[in-house]
């Protein structure tokens, strides 16, 4: 599969995301924030970083980048889109995913090897996992606390749209320990932790993150 | 407001000028007049005063630093590609790769405004590395604070750590190591040093010089504001006849996003081959960049200062020349490449302006709206500043200090006392777990971090195909340096050398950051001179060069100077990072050995400091040959050493504790001789290693071959650290003691 | 040239870790009688020309789409008294 | 119960990366005619009792010591009109 990774000004983990895509056996395609062009990719990753410095609100400015028009259309059309950390924030700001991410409750940047439970193994990005599976993936952010109003949270739970939840304690005050969510169709996934930093035993805490990228298959479930 | 021009300076030669307020000495001002054959314009005066300052001219230190230049500019792998004098030294690490690294200080600004001071400190060193044509790949942050329980430490430390993280994280540079040290002497004078490592291909090396008549000088990055020009405002207030200058910032605020764009943009213009010369703007801003580029080049330079994009339109030319606004770079570009250069800047939304060009003359000429405000020989500004031979003298009290040995202090006797001493030490501020600090740093970004905190060194993969990598460590024990600056500086170097070696990397070169008190105090100057001599001798014996560094003087509160703190960073290379030796015990059933000789060396130790609040005596022996032998063993042991951890602060006790806690693997050890000395002596040239039972003979043979003393200690396994006949400590209890301290203090 | 101020505050029902931290710190610094603290953002915009209704409508759109996130924040747009502008 | 507002803004001469980022984004969003943007913080304090001079003096001390960083920021303390308080 051809998987696009968008680079915004201030993106940091774009190179890492492209590496992860390659290690999962796909072709990585670099996409530029300023182009109205997805270069015909089959899936898109919005990587981590501090787009535009994230001084205003994480993802608030990146959301308006030219390429996002295409990403939003493609996502509505069922294309698999994964937002990691800053990418998750951008997806929320773009209203492709519900809720928002605010400052960690401890008000510090935190970089940890975090235990997670994969709760939904039906999305385009989690089919390689089994529901209930525990994984260790790098979590690193200053504004990773997931918030939404109660109704939204209840709906997410009821519809099984919580993709991953923090295990062994809540590292940032996220409501209901939510680490990642998906849209109704299951093609758009936002995740605070960084699976692209857990794809090589040499340079991260194991390879538990690779599954997010190997989950992509020619016909992802939602396009059925 | 009246402009002071070269013409006016000639016409009105006797106007008196605020050279004293600008920190110039009478003879220095006279020399400037002599160089120019007239009085300087206020802009020239601004340039000379800032470039001839201690910070920029190294006038007190350079007579001592000179000896580093006398060392063979050669690493164990061959000639250095760029040495002292460049923005940062560059060394060959094989496979066509080169690495550049440098450590710098941002001490005083971090005391005034901890977050921004530390942040802009990181920003500055990163631009130094970038200016060599290298992609920055990692940062480190050696930090020193007052006592952990001092109120001001609770202002400074969280701010500094947040600043280092806030800036470095936002640049996408993994933080792979550093130091956190607490000592009374840093209370009014914290040390915030920052190190950056960069990687480049040999052919991409860029030097800071302006050559090629007609080449264009481009200033790009952030706009210029009134940052860091407090000093020059006396000039401005002269210039502004009516009512003095408008307000100038007392501190600088960093913009890491702009710096990130600057990095990507600069690497792209390098890749496109559009750069003839380049220089970062740091201390002394445009004064430094223009004069150094011109001075190092073969021609002169003409600059139209009014083209500089300003953040504050009220700035006078003197101020623009001195402004230390962050996130700016200056490039020298061939005329035909200018368009392409500006296009790449535009792509990254980085403002770029041609402000001048290289001339065939030998002068640096700067105009302000068509009027000449600067006309000087650039070398006299950049490279021919004053040199002081400051008096230095071994302090009267030094003998008494060295006579007051810690070996005489009362010691724990029973196993129970040893146990509580160990627990007390692992929980002490200088030995406890650093996670509260290091968890605020991104150590994973870029995906090439092989080792980071809490490993002995930080290790970065340079090439994904071949797995070539580099390792870096920074260290210094200021108490050792106080007791004997010569040996203390060597011990700093040797500990860092050891920390690189335990991972399996071959040490190649050092960079240093020499933090000392006032050079006007002969005792401090003696400490400085001794430290330099110590470093030079150790480097000569080890066959490694000093590729660069930084001097920070006047670190004192009132009359009392900080502990002399020569922080030393050692960089090593490893051919295959997948074979690196990890820090800490990996699995049960492995044999534990101590490498090196343990002497009764307790003076300056963490034990003496924590238990007795004592500093006195002679530091451990700095045995360069023994250290080199140990290093060779550790490097050759790669592949069958299953773990290695250096012994330093806290001695064997601390090394055992850290090794057990790394992966929750306990150990049972037996100590020959005096158990207290075995556990808490801080003799150098030692490391704790493990091997599989089957590999014991290989280790014995290797130790013999290198003449390194080898002591079997015991075996790994269990959930307890057990010292035979003395005590047992469950790892849960050990971890509680080790991890509790910083969170409890910082909340 | 006119100054327009946009205040952005976390919605009452959204937790506000920063406000909470400030509130928690006050007693330790000897400040009592503060019942609640909320921390938000203040934007000072210099616009050319007058702060006409059209311009203000535009600023409101700005506040809604960029300066605030309606999911978690409320905003208000005001034109400060000249003197209040001075700081 | 009274509401007191503390506004904290970066000093004019100090670089404001946040305001700069917002200002840079506006044209791309089709907003023109904004000459400058500064971003600061707004604190809304609920204090018991009236906003008397003593209480306000106390809030000013708070603003100076905790809410603002005098090295790089200016603050101002105001008591909003009841209606302005509603959001
Ligand atoms: N300020 C810091 N930033 C990043 N890493 C740090 C910092 N301080 C300490 N560390 C890391 O914590 C670990 C323990 O520090 P230290 O005990 O000083 O190591 P050593 O004694 O081997 O030099 C090392 O990996 C060191 O790099
Ligand atoms: Mg070590």
């Amino acid at each position: 599969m051809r998987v696009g990774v968008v680079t915004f000004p201030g993106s940091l983990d774009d190179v890492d995301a492209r590496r992860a895509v390659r290690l999962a056996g796909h072709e990585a395609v670099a996409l530029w924030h300023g182009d109205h062009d997805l270069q015909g990719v089959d899936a898109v990753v919005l990587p981590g970083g501090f787009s535009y410095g994230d001084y205003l609100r994480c993802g608030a400015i990146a959301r308006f980048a030219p390429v996002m028009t295409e990403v939003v259309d493609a996502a509505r059309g069922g294309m698999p889109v994964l937002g990691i950390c800053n990418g998750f924030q951008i997806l929320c700001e773009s209203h492709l995913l519900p809720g928002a991410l605010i400052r960690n409750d401890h008000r510090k940047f935190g970089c940890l090897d975090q235990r997670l439970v994969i709760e939904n193994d039906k999305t385009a990005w989690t089919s390689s996992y089994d529901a209930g599976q525990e994984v260790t993936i790098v979590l690193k952010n200053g504004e990773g606390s997931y918030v939404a109003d109660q109704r939204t949270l209840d709906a997410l739970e009821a519809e099984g749209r919580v993709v991953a939840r923090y295990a062994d304690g809540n590292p940032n005050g996220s409501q209901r320990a939510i680490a990642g969510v998906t849209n109704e169709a299951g093609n758009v996934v936002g995740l605070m932790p960084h699976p692209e930093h857990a794809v090589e035993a040499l340079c991260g805490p194991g390879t538990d993150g690779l599954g997010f990228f190997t989950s992509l298959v020619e016909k992802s479930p939602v396009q059925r | 407001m009246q402009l002071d021009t070269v013409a006016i300076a000639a016409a009105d030669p006797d106007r008196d000028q605020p050279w004293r307020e600008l920190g110039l000495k009478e003879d220095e001002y006279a020399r400037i007049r002599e160089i120019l054959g007239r009085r300087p314009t206020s802009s020239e005066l601004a340039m000379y005063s800032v470039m001839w300052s201690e910070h920029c001219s190294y006038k007190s230190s350079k007579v001592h630093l000179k000896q580093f230049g006398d060392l063979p500019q050669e690493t164990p792998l061959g000639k250095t590609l760029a040495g002292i004098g460049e923005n940062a030294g560059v060394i060959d690490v094989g496979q066509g790769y080169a690495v550049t690294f440098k450590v710098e200080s941002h001490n005083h600004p971090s005391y005034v405004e901890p977050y921004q001071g530390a942040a802009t400190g990181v920003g500055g060193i990163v631009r130094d590395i970038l200016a060599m044509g290298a992609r920055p790949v990692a940062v480190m942050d050696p930090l020193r604070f007052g006592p952990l329980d001092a109120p001001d430490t609770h202002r400074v430390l969280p701010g500094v750590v947040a600043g280092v993280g806030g800036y470095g994280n936002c640049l996408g540079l993994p933080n792979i190591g550093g130091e956190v040290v607490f000592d009374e002497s840093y209370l009014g004078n914290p040390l915030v040093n920052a190190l950056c490592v960069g990687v480049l291909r040999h052919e991409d090396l860029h030097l800071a010089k302006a050559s090629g008549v007609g080449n264009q000088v481009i200033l790009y990055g952030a706009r210029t504001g009134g940052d860091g020009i407090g000093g020059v405002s006396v000039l401005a207030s002269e210039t502004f006849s009516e009512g003095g200058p408008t307000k100038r910032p007392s501190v600088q605020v960093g913009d890491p996003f702009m710096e990130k764009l600057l990095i990507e943009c600069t690497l792209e213009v390098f890749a496109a081959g559009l750069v003839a010369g380049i220089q970062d703007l740091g201390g002394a801003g445009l004064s430094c960049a223009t004069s150094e580029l011109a001075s190092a080049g073969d021609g002169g330079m003409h600059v139209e200062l009014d083209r500089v994009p300003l953040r504050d339109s009220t700035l006078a030319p003197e101020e623009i020349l001195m402004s230390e606004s962050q996130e700016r770079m200056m490039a020298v570009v061939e005329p035909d490449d200018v368009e392409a250069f500006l296009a790449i800047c535009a792509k990254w939304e980085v403002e770029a302006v041609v402000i001048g060009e290289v001339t065939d003359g030998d002068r640096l000429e700067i105009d302000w709206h068509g009027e000449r405000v600067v006309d000087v020989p650039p070398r006299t500004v950049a490279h021919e500043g004053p040199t002081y031979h400051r008096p230095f003298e071994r302090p009267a009290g030094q003998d008494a200090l060295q006579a007051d040995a810690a070996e005489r202090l009362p010691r724990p006797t029973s196993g129970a006392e040893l146990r509580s001493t160990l627990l007390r030490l692992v929980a002490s501020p200088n030995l406890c777990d650093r996670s509260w600090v290091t968890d605020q740093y991104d150590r994973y970004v870029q995906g090439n971090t092989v080792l980071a905190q809490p490993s002995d060194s930080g290790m970065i993969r340079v090439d994904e195909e071949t797995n070539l990598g580099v390792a870096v460590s920074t260290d210094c024990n200021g108490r050792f340096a106080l007791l004997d600056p010569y040996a203390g500086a060597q011990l700093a170097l040797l500990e860092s050398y050891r920390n690189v070696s335990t991972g399996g990397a071959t040490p190649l070169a050092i960079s240093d950051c020499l933090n000392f008190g006032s050079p006007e105090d002969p005792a401090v100057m003696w400490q400085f001179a001794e430290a330099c001599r110590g470093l030079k001798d150790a480097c000569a014996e080890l066959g490694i060069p000093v590729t660069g560094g930084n001097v920070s003087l006047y670190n004192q509160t009132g009359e009392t100077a900080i502990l002399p703190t020569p922080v030393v960073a050692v960089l090593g290379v490893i051919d295959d990072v997948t074979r690196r030796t990890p820090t800490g015990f990996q699995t049960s059933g492995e044999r534990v050995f101590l490498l090196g000789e343990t002497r009764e060396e307790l003076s300056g130790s963490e034990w003496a400091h924590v238990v007795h609040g004592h500093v006195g005596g002679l530091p451990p022996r700095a045995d360069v040959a023994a250290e080199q032998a140990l290093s060779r063993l550790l490097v050759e042991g790669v592949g069958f050493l299953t773990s290695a951890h250096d012994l330093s602060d806290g001695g064997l006790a601390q090394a055992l504790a850290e090794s057990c806690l790394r992966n929750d693997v306990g150990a049972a050890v037996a100590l020959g001789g005096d158990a207290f000395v075995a556990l808490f002596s801080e003799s150098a040239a030692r490391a704790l290693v493990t091997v599989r039972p089957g590999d014991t003979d290989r280790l014995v043979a290797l130790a013999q071959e290198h003449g390194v003393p080898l002591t079997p200690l015991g075996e790994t396994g269990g959930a307890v650290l057990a010292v035979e006949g003395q005590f047992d400590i469950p790892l849960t209890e050990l971890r509680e003691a080790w991890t509790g301290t910083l969170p409890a203090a910082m909340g | 040239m006119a100054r327009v101020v946009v205040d952005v505050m976390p919605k009452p029902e959204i937790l506000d870790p920063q406000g909470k931290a400030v509130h928690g710190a006050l007693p330790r610094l000897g400040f009592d009688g503060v019942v609640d603290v909320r921390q938000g953002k203040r934007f000072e915009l210099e616009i050319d020309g007058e702060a006409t209704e059209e311009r203000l409508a535009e600023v409101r759109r700005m506040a809604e789409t960029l300066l605030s996130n309606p999911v978690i924040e409320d905003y208000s747009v005001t034109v400060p008294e000249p003197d209040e502008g001075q700081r």
Side-chain angles (χ1 to χ4, degrees), chain A, chain B, chain C:
Chain A
M1 253 172 116
R2 300 181 71 242
V3 181
V5 177
V6 178
T7 297
F8 299 94
S11 291
L12 303 179
D13 304 303
D14 45 347
V15 178
D16 310 60
R18 293 206 296 270
R19 184 190 292 110
V21 164
R22 282 194 307 275
L23 289 171
H26 303 296
E27 178 191 348
V29 181
L31 302 177
W32 182 245
H33 73 106
D35 301 339
H36 280 284
D37 180 6
L38 296 185
Q39 299 182 30
V41 295
D42 310 302
V44 172
V45 176
L46 304 182
F50 292 80
S51 54
Y52 297 92
D54 279 346
Y55 299 126
L56 170 59
R57 237 175 20 257
C58 300
I61 297 179
R63 164 207 171 180
F64 293 100
V67 76
M68 284 308 293
T69 336
E70 278 63 30
V71 172
V72 171
D73 292 349
R76 298 234 159 87
M79 178 185 287
V81 175
L82 173 64
I84 302 169
C85 194
N86 196 219
F88 186 9
Q89 294 157 337
I90 295 169
L91 291 175
C92 290
E93 286 282 336
S94 314
H95 310 304
L96 283 172
L97 292 174
L101 293 133
I102 65 170
R103 199 115 164 75
N104 295 341
D105 57 357
H106 52 78
R107 288 167 299 110
K108 297 194 296 292
F109 185 95
C111 179
L112 323 155
D113 301 344
Q114 176 67 40
R115 294 292 285 170
L116 299 177
V117 185
I118 304 294
E119 299 210 340
N120 178 336
D121 60 1
K122 301 279 179 292
T123 77
W125 299 92
T126 54
S127 55
S128 299
Y129 299 97
D130 302 322
Q133 185 176 341
E134 278 212 11
V135 296
T136 299
I137 290 180
V138 173
L139 177 72
K140 49 165 211 183
N141 58 65
E143 310 202 351
S145 181
Y146 184 78
V147 296
D149 58 62
Q150 296 307 319
R151 221 190 314 88
T152 309
L153 292 169
D154 294 337
L156 286 173
E157 303 273 8
E159 299 162 24
R161 287 166 54 194
V162 175
V163 171
R165 220 183 286 269
Y166 298 114
D168 305 354
N170 188 332
N172 52 24
S174 290
Q175 288 180 317
R176 310 199 188 177
I178 290 172
V181 299
T182 183
N183 63 344
E184 294 84 346
N187 63 308
V188 179
V189 169
L191 193 69
M192 243 318 136
H194 289 256
E196 82 280 17
H197 289 327
V199 294
E200 277 186 296
L202 181 69
C203 299
T207 57
D208 286 356
L210 201 54
F212 281 87
F213 304 93
T214 53
S215 292
L216 286 174
V217 285
E218 287 312 335
K219 266 200 139 316
S220 61
V222 300
Q223 293 167 322
R224 221 176 283 121
Chain B
M1 103 176 206
Q2 185 230 345
L3 185 68
D4 189 22
T5 65
V6 170
I8 292 173
D12 160 17
D14 305 323
R15 169 188 299 186
D16 57 12
Q17 300 185 279
W19 48 270
R20 190 175 274 103
E21 293 84 337
L22 289 168
L24 287 166
K25 301 269 179 301
E26 185 146 21
D27 56 322
E28 291 170 350
Y29 178 65
R31 175 134 170 266
I32 295 169
R33 296 190 66 123
E34 178 190 324
I35 289 168
L36 299 176
R38 56 171 166 81
R39 75 160 172 90
T41 65
S42 55
S43 295
E44 290 166 337
L45 189 60
M47 285 182 93
Y48 277 105
S49 67
V50 62
M51 288 301 290
W52 285 12
S53 69
E54 186 65 61
H55 177 67
C56 295
S57 72
Y58 290 81
K59 53 189 169 189
S60 301
S61 55
K62 62 182 165 192
V63 294
H64 299 284
L65 298 178
K66 208 167 82 284
Q67 57 195 321
F68 296 155
D70 305 341
L71 289 164
Q73 291 303 300
E74 209 163 78
T75 77
L77 284 191
K79 292 226 149 307
T80 59
L81 305 177
I84 292 191
E86 292 300 335
N87 285 309
V90 180
I91 59 176
D92 180 2
V93 293
Q95 298 179 18
Y97 285 103
V99 168
T100 174
F101 74 121
K102 186 178 178 192
V103 55
E104 235 173 35
S105 67
H106 220 221
N107 301 340
H108 186 64
S110 304
Y111 176 67
V112 176
E113 213 311 280
Y115 183 99
Q116 296 298 343
T120 51
V122 172
I125 190 64
V126 167
R127 286 192 300 281
D128 265 321
I129 294 307
L130 187 59
M132 300 309 295
R135 170 175 279 282
V137 295
V139 295
M140 292 179 130
D141 59 334
L143 307 176
R144 283 164 174 78
F145 305 101
L148 179 56
D149 53 15
D152 199 50
T153 301
H154 293 239
R155 171 188 71 98
V156 176
L157 186 148
V160 164
V161 170
V164 169
Y167 205 99
N169 295 343
C170 197
L171 292 185
L173 296 178
N175 184 308
I176 58 169
E179 298 168 83
V180 180
V181 177
F182 300 91
D183 184 90
E184 190 68 39
S185 73
Y186 304 118
L187 183 50
N189 208 306
L191 300 185
V192 175
N193 296 176
L195 175 147
C196 183
V197 192
V199 173
L200 61 152
R201 302 291 301 175
H202 286 195
E203 58 272 22
D204 296 338
L205 177 57
H206 283 75
L207 299 181
K209 57 180 167 61
S211 298
V213 175
N215 283 353
Q216 301 294 292
V217 177
I218 298 179
L219 178 66
Y220 65 109
R223 290 180 160 244
T224 298
D227 308 278
I229 54 177
V232 76
S233 50
V234 294
L235 275 175
S237 54
E238 286 213 323
T239 322
F240 294 99
S241 32
E242 78 288 339
T246 56
K247 224 155 166 305
R248 299 302 180 226
S250 44
V251 295
Q252 304 169 37
V253 169
D255 182 353
F257 172 57
M258 173 53 81
E259 180 111 333
K260 169 65 176 171
L261 297 182
L262 210 50
I263 292 173
E264 297 306 327
C265 171
T266 301
L267 291 171
E268 196 167 326
V269 294
F270 281 146
L274 303 175
V275 179
I278 189 158
Q279 169 75 294
D280 62 295
L281 274 74
L286 280 162
S287 297
C288 181
T290 53
S291 62
E292 286 193 350
L293 277 169
S295 172
D298 46 26
M301 187 186 289
H302 176 87
V303 171
E304 288 176 25
L305 201 59
D306 43 277
R307 290 201 197 163
V308 173
L310 299 180
R311 195 175 84 227
D312 170 354
S313 58
T314 69
L315 291 183
E318 298 84 349
E319 297 179 301
I320 296 169
L321 283 168
M322 285 184 113
S323 164
E324 297 190 343
S325 291
Q326 301 291 304
E327 292 99 21
R328 299 180 298 165
M329 301 278 288
M330 181 174 285
V332 177
V333 178
E334 293 186 7
D336 298 349
D337 294 335
V338 167
E339 200 174 322
F341 187 104
L342 297 180
I344 290 173
C345 291
K347 170 187 167 188
W348 288 101
E349 296 172 25
V350 169
E351 193 166 13
V353 179
V354 174
I355 63 163
E357 70 174 18
V358 177
T359 63
D360 55 7
D362 56 2
R363 313 280 292 184
L364 171 59
E365 305 159 333
I366 300 178
D367 292 356
W368 177 252
H369 294 290
E371 299 205 67
R372 179 103 352 140
V373 292
V374 171
D375 181 356
V376 299
R379 280 204 72 74
T380 63
V381 180
H383 294 109
E384 288 162 7
T387 302
Y388 294 169
H389 296 263
R390 294 204 183 266
F392 53 92
E393 187 181 14
R394 189 169 192 271
Q398 197 72 20
D399 289 339
L401 182 67
Q402 294 186 341
D404 175 22
E407 286 72 13
R408 296 209 216 87
L409 299 168
R411 311 171 174 190
T413 50
S414 68
E417 285 176 17
L418 285 170
R419 185 183 196 277
S420 56
T421 305
L422 185 151
L423 285 171
R424 179 170 172 195
L425 280 174
V426 296
S428 66
N430 287 338
L431 297 180
C432 68
D433 175 25
R434 266 78 183 105
S435 302
W436 188 90
V437 170
T438 59
D439 285 355
Q440 297 185 51
Y441 303 152
D442 182 349
R443 59 184 176 278
Y444 287 115
V445 64
Q446 293 191 12
N448 289 313
T449 305
V450 178
L451 296 177
Q453 47 273 23
S455 301
D456 286 349
S457 66
M459 188 179 286
I460 289 287
R461 176 175 60 186
V462 168
D463 185 299
E464 282 185 48
E465 267 56 55
T466 67
N467 288 314
L468 176 73
V470 296
V472 188
S473 174
T474 78
D475 287 290
C476 179
N477 182 326
R479 291 189 307 270
F480 291 166
L482 177 73
L483 299 179
D484 179 346
Y486 179 89
Q490 294 195 333
L491 286 163
L493 164 51
L494 295 177
E495 182 184 350
S496 201
Y497 190 91
R498 200 181 316 138
N499 277 311
V500 162
S501 309
T502 48
T506 304
L508 294 184
I510 78 165
S511 173
D512 59 59
C513 190
L514 306 175
N515 306 274
F516 287 76
S518 167
E520 291 158 35
D521 175 347
V524 169
M525 220 39 221
W526 172 79
Q527 294 173 329
F528 183 81
E530 284 294 287
C532 291
R533 209 166 55 81
L535 288 179
K536 133 79 168 18
D537 289 352
C539 283
E541 194 171 344
L542 292 165
I544 58 177
V546 181
T547 60
N550 171 256
V551 176
S552 172
L553 300 174
Y554 296 99
N555 292 291
Q556 50 187 73
T557 320
E559 284 308 290
T560 34
I562 57 164
L563 290 175
T565 312
V567 170
V568 181
V570 171
L571 183 138
V573 65
I574 177 168
D575 298 336
D576 181 356
V577 290
T578 63
R579 305 182 70 230
R580 87 274 178 214
T581 311
T583 304
F585 301 148
Q586 301 296 302
T587 54
S588 310
E590 302 193 325
R591 301 270 189 273
V592 182
F593 291 88
L594 174 64
L595 294 168
E597 181 188 353
T598 306
R599 301 183 206 83
E600 185 171 337
E601 297 178 311
L602 297 154
S603 292
S605 69
E606 208 56 50
W607 169 74
H609 174 66
V610 171
V611 175
H612 297 282
H614 178 277
V615 190
L618 287 169
R621 189 189 310 166
D623 185 339
V624 176
E627 207 69 63
Q628 191 164 31
L630 174 66
S631 168
R632 294 212 170 105
L633 183 161
L634 290 166
V635 171
E636 285 175 35
V638 164
F640 79 91
L641 291 176
T642 52
S643 81
H645 188 12
D646 80 305
L647 270 64
S648 54
D649 320 76
L652 178 62
Q654 182 69 15
L656 282 169
E658 288 174 358
S659 297
C660 288
L661 293 176
R662 186 75 182 94
N663 304 303
D664 271 309
V665 176
V669 301
L671 308 169
D674 180 329
F676 168 75
V677 171
L679 284 170
F680 297 104
S681 163
E682 296 189 5
S683 298
R686 296 184 302 160
L688 187 66
V689 297
T690 54
V691 293
R692 290 177 211 84
D695 288 329
T696 304
D697 299 346
R698 283 178 79 181
L699 179 59
V700 171
L702 198 59
Q704 260 158 7
E705 178 190 333
H706 290 283
V708 174
L710 178 73
T711 316
L713 290 181
E715 200 170 289
T716 62
V720 174
L721 171 57
V723 178
E724 189 185 280
Q726 301 294 344
F727 58 80
D728 288 5
I729 306 177
L731 297 192
T732 49
E733 186 181 354
L734 191 59
R735 178 172 300 282
E736 222 181 279
W738 184 61
T739 55
T741 311
L742 286 185
M746 289 300 144
Chain C
M1 193 96 118
R3 165 169 296 174
V4 181
V5 171
V6 179
D7 290 317
V8 174
M9 296 300 293
K11 283 187 194 296
E13 68 271 22
I14 295 287
L15 46 104
D16 167 20
Q18 311 185 101
K20 197 155 131 277
V22 171
H23 189 217
L26 291 175
R28 263 178 280 125
L29 295 163
F31 298 112
D32 304 322
V34 177
V35 182
D36 185 32
V37 180
R38 311 280 296 167
Q39 178 175 340
K41 306 192 188 91
R42 173 186 173 96
F43 300 89
E44 294 182 355
L45 283 62
E46 302 290 341
I47 60 177
D48 21 76
E50 287 307 296
T52 61
E53 250 325 304
E54 298 88 310
R55 307 290 282 123
L56 288 180
E58 211 180 31
V59 172
R60 270 185 218 95
R61 261 188 36 254
M62 224 181 267
E64 199 156 332
T65 51
L66 179 68
L67 301 183
S68 77
N69 175 351
V71 178
I72 49 172
E73 297 166 323
D74 297 321
Y75 70 88
S76 73
V77 174
T78 52
V79 181
E81 302 310 313
D83 71 298
E84 209 225 303
Q86 305 328 327
R87 27 186 83 251

